[in-house]
Amino acid sequence: MLFRSTDPKALQLDTVIRRTCPFSVIAINPPKYNELYAKIGNLNKLLEWGHARAIENVLEIQACDLVISDQFANPAGLRRALMEKGRAVQLESRVRAEADLAVAAASVLARSEFLRRLRGLGHDIGMNLPKGAGPVVDDTARALVRRSGSGILSTVAKMHFKTT
Protein backbone atom coordinates (compact mmCIF):
# COMPACT_ATOMS: atom_id res chain seq x y z
CA MET A 1 0.00 0.00 0.00
CA LEU A 2 1.31 3.44 -0.92
CA PHE A 3 1.71 6.04 1.81
CA ARG A 4 -0.30 9.19 1.10
CA SER A 5 0.70 12.11 3.29
CA THR A 6 -1.40 15.06 4.26
CA ASP A 7 0.00 18.53 3.64
CA PRO A 8 1.17 19.04 7.25
CA LYS A 9 2.79 15.60 7.20
CA ALA A 10 4.57 16.41 3.92
CA LEU A 11 5.99 19.59 5.46
CA GLN A 12 7.13 17.64 8.52
CA LEU A 13 8.73 14.84 6.46
CA ASP A 14 10.41 17.41 4.22
CA THR A 15 12.70 18.44 7.07
CA VAL A 16 13.74 14.86 7.76
CA ILE A 17 14.32 14.05 4.09
CA ARG A 18 16.42 17.18 3.49
CA ARG A 19 18.64 16.27 6.47
CA THR A 20 19.01 12.65 5.39
CA CYS A 21 19.06 12.37 1.60
CA PRO A 22 20.77 14.01 -1.36
CA PHE A 23 18.07 15.94 -3.19
CA SER A 24 17.29 18.59 -5.75
CA VAL A 25 14.04 20.48 -6.16
CA ILE A 26 13.43 22.31 -9.42
CA ALA A 27 10.86 24.96 -8.53
CA ILE A 28 9.31 27.01 -11.30
CA ASN A 29 7.22 30.00 -10.23
CA PRO A 30 4.05 30.78 -12.23
CA PRO A 31 5.49 33.57 -14.45
CA LYS A 32 8.47 31.39 -15.44
CA TYR A 33 6.23 28.33 -15.83
CA ASN A 34 3.93 30.26 -18.17
CA GLU A 35 6.94 31.52 -20.14
CA LEU A 36 8.41 28.01 -20.47
CA TYR A 37 5.06 26.48 -21.38
CA ALA A 38 4.53 29.10 -24.09
CA LYS A 39 7.98 28.29 -25.47
CA ILE A 40 7.82 24.47 -25.14
CA GLY A 41 4.06 24.07 -25.69
CA ASN A 42 3.83 20.66 -24.03
CA LEU A 43 3.44 19.87 -20.33
CA ASN A 44 5.16 16.47 -20.58
CA LYS A 45 8.23 18.04 -22.23
CA LEU A 46 8.34 20.64 -19.46
CA LEU A 47 8.14 17.86 -16.86
CA GLU A 48 10.89 15.94 -18.67
CA TRP A 49 13.13 19.01 -18.55
CA GLY A 50 12.51 19.57 -14.82
CA HIS A 51 12.97 15.90 -13.90
CA ALA A 52 16.16 15.70 -15.95
CA ARG A 53 17.64 18.77 -14.23
CA ALA A 54 16.80 17.36 -10.78
CA ILE A 55 18.33 13.99 -11.67
CA GLU A 56 21.50 15.64 -12.94
CA ASN A 57 21.75 17.78 -9.79
CA VAL A 58 21.42 14.75 -7.51
CA LEU A 59 23.99 12.82 -9.57
CA GLU A 60 26.42 15.70 -8.90
CA ILE A 61 25.98 15.01 -5.16
CA GLN A 62 25.59 11.22 -5.16
CA ALA A 63 26.67 8.84 -7.91
CA CYS A 64 24.42 5.85 -8.60
CA ASP A 65 23.70 3.27 -11.27
CA LEU A 66 19.89 3.32 -11.27
CA VAL A 67 17.41 6.21 -11.46
CA ILE A 68 13.70 5.54 -10.98
CA SER A 69 11.13 8.04 -12.19
CA ASP A 70 7.37 8.10 -12.19
CA GLN A 71 6.11 7.37 -15.70
CA PHE A 72 4.30 10.59 -16.56
CA ALA A 73 4.95 10.35 -20.32
CA ASN A 74 7.09 8.50 -22.82
CA PRO A 75 10.27 7.46 -20.91
CA ALA A 76 12.33 8.16 -24.05
CA GLY A 77 11.57 11.86 -23.66
CA LEU A 78 13.07 11.92 -20.17
CA ARG A 79 16.09 9.97 -21.39
CA ARG A 80 16.63 12.55 -24.19
CA ALA A 81 16.38 15.43 -21.70
CA LEU A 82 19.14 14.00 -19.48
CA MET A 83 22.63 15.39 -19.78
CA GLU A 84 26.00 13.63 -19.51
CA LYS A 85 25.73 12.16 -15.99
CA GLY A 86 22.13 11.06 -16.50
CA ARG A 87 22.93 9.23 -19.67
CA ALA A 88 25.40 7.05 -17.78
CA VAL A 89 22.76 5.53 -15.48
CA GLN A 90 20.01 3.00 -16.00
CA LEU A 91 16.68 4.85 -16.10
CA GLU A 92 13.47 3.10 -15.12
CA SER A 93 10.16 4.89 -15.58
CA ARG A 94 7.39 3.21 -13.62
CA VAL A 95 3.71 3.69 -13.10
CA ARG A 96 3.17 4.35 -9.36
CA ALA A 97 6.90 4.75 -8.83
CA GLU A 98 6.19 6.23 -5.36
CA ALA A 99 6.24 2.63 -4.16
CA ASP A 100 10.03 3.12 -4.24
CA LEU A 101 11.21 4.99 -1.14
CA ALA A 102 13.45 7.42 -3.06
CA VAL A 103 10.64 8.39 -5.44
CA ALA A 104 8.23 8.76 -2.53
CA ALA A 105 10.73 11.05 -0.77
CA ALA A 106 11.11 13.13 -3.94
CA SER A 107 7.33 13.42 -4.17
CA VAL A 108 7.14 14.64 -0.56
CA LEU A 109 9.85 17.26 -1.25
CA ALA A 110 8.02 18.46 -4.36
CA ARG A 111 4.70 18.70 -2.49
CA SER A 112 6.15 20.60 0.46
CA GLU A 113 7.97 23.02 -1.88
CA PHE A 114 4.70 23.62 -3.72
CA LEU A 115 2.90 24.28 -0.42
CA ARG A 116 5.55 26.73 0.80
CA ARG A 117 5.64 28.60 -2.49
CA LEU A 118 1.85 28.76 -2.72
CA ARG A 119 1.74 30.22 0.78
CA GLY A 120 4.46 32.71 -0.22
CA LEU A 121 2.57 33.76 -3.35
CA GLY A 122 -0.55 34.31 -1.26
CA HIS A 123 1.44 36.39 1.21
CA ASP A 124 2.93 38.48 -1.63
CA ILE A 125 -0.49 39.34 -3.07
CA GLY A 126 -2.26 39.60 0.29
CA MET A 127 -4.71 36.77 -0.32
CA ASN A 128 -4.86 33.11 0.68
CA LEU A 129 -4.52 31.00 -2.48
CA PRO A 130 -6.32 27.65 -2.35
CA LYS A 131 -4.89 24.56 -4.07
CA GLY A 132 -6.32 22.74 -7.05
CA ALA A 133 -9.49 23.52 -8.94
CA GLY A 134 -13.13 23.98 -8.04
CA PRO A 135 -15.54 26.58 -6.71
CA VAL A 136 -13.23 27.90 -3.96
CA VAL A 137 -10.41 28.42 -6.47
CA ASP A 138 -12.80 30.03 -8.98
CA ASP A 139 -14.17 32.41 -6.33
CA THR A 140 -10.67 33.35 -5.19
CA ALA A 141 -9.58 34.01 -8.78
CA ARG A 142 -12.61 36.21 -9.42
CA ALA A 143 -11.93 38.20 -6.26
CA LEU A 144 -8.29 38.60 -7.21
CA VAL A 145 -9.17 39.79 -10.72
CA ARG A 146 -11.74 42.25 -9.35
CA ARG A 147 -9.10 43.63 -6.99
CA SER A 148 -6.04 43.66 -9.25
CA GLY A 149 -7.12 43.08 -12.85
CA SER A 150 -6.78 39.99 -15.03
CA GLY A 151 -3.02 40.47 -15.49
CA ILE A 152 -2.48 39.25 -11.93
CA LEU A 153 -3.47 35.70 -12.91
CA SER A 154 -0.23 35.03 -14.80
CA THR A 155 1.70 35.74 -11.60
CA VAL A 156 -0.19 33.12 -9.56
CA ALA A 157 -1.61 30.55 -12.00
CA LYS A 158 -0.75 28.23 -14.87
CA MET A 159 -2.42 30.09 -17.70
CA HIS A 160 -2.98 27.12 -20.02
CA PHE A 161 -5.08 25.25 -17.47
CA LYS A 162 -8.80 25.11 -18.21
CA THR A 163 -9.69 26.62 -14.81
CA THR A 164 -7.68 29.76 -15.59
Side-chain angles (χ1 to χ4, degrees):
M1 182 160 106
L2 296 178
F3 175 74
R4 183 134 176 104
S5 66
T6 63
D7 291 345
K9 189 67 171 175
L11 291 165
Q12 177 188 18
L13 289 171
D14 177 271
T15 305
V16 175
I17 294 166
R18 286 175 185 264
R19 280 195 319 254
T20 309
C21 305
F23 69 93
S24 175
V25 177
I26 306 299
I28 306 171
N29 62 29
K32 187 65 174 178
Y33 175 93
N34 291 323
E35 176 188 325
L36 288 170
Y37 185 83
K39 181 179 175 183
I40 295 171
N42 180 292
L43 181 56
N44 285 334
K45 289 188 186 309
L46 185 52
L47 289 170
E48 290 165 0
W49 174 83
H51 278 75
R53 296 301 70 79
I55 290 166
E56 291 287 338
N57 291 347
V58 171
L59 289 172
E60 287 288 328
I61 302 166
Q62 178 69 53
C64 72
D65 298 324
L66 173 65
V67 172
I68 301 171
S69 172
D70 191 41
Q71 188 171 332
F72 53 85
N74 181 351
L78 178 55
R79 166 106 11 234
R80 279 191 303 274
L82 289 168
M83 296 181 297
E84 184 180 339
K85 287 187 180 294
R87 290 194 182 114
V89 300
Q90 178 185 347
L91 174 65
E92 286 186 20
S93 291
R94 300 177 185 168
V95 176
R96 294 190 226 9
E98 290 88 0
D100 181 90
L101 184 58
V103 179
S107 181
V108 168
L109 292 177
R111 180 67 177 181
S112 60
E113 186 71 20
F114 163 75
L115 293 168
R116 281 193 296 274
R117 286 177 177 264
L118 184 64
R119 184 176 33 218
L121 276 174
H123 181 266
D124 291 348
I125 64 167
M127 182 179 281
N128 183 38
L129 296 172
K131 303 178 298 281
V136 174
V137 173
D138 295 343
D139 292 345
T140 301
R142 284 187 198 96
L144 186 57
V145 168
R146 276 193 301 275
R147 189 183 80 188
S148 303
S150 62
I152 191 74
L153 289 178
S154 66
T155 68
V156 298
K158 296 172 182 174
M159 297 302 290
H160 69 95
F161 278 26
K162 189 175 183 177
T163 301
T164 310

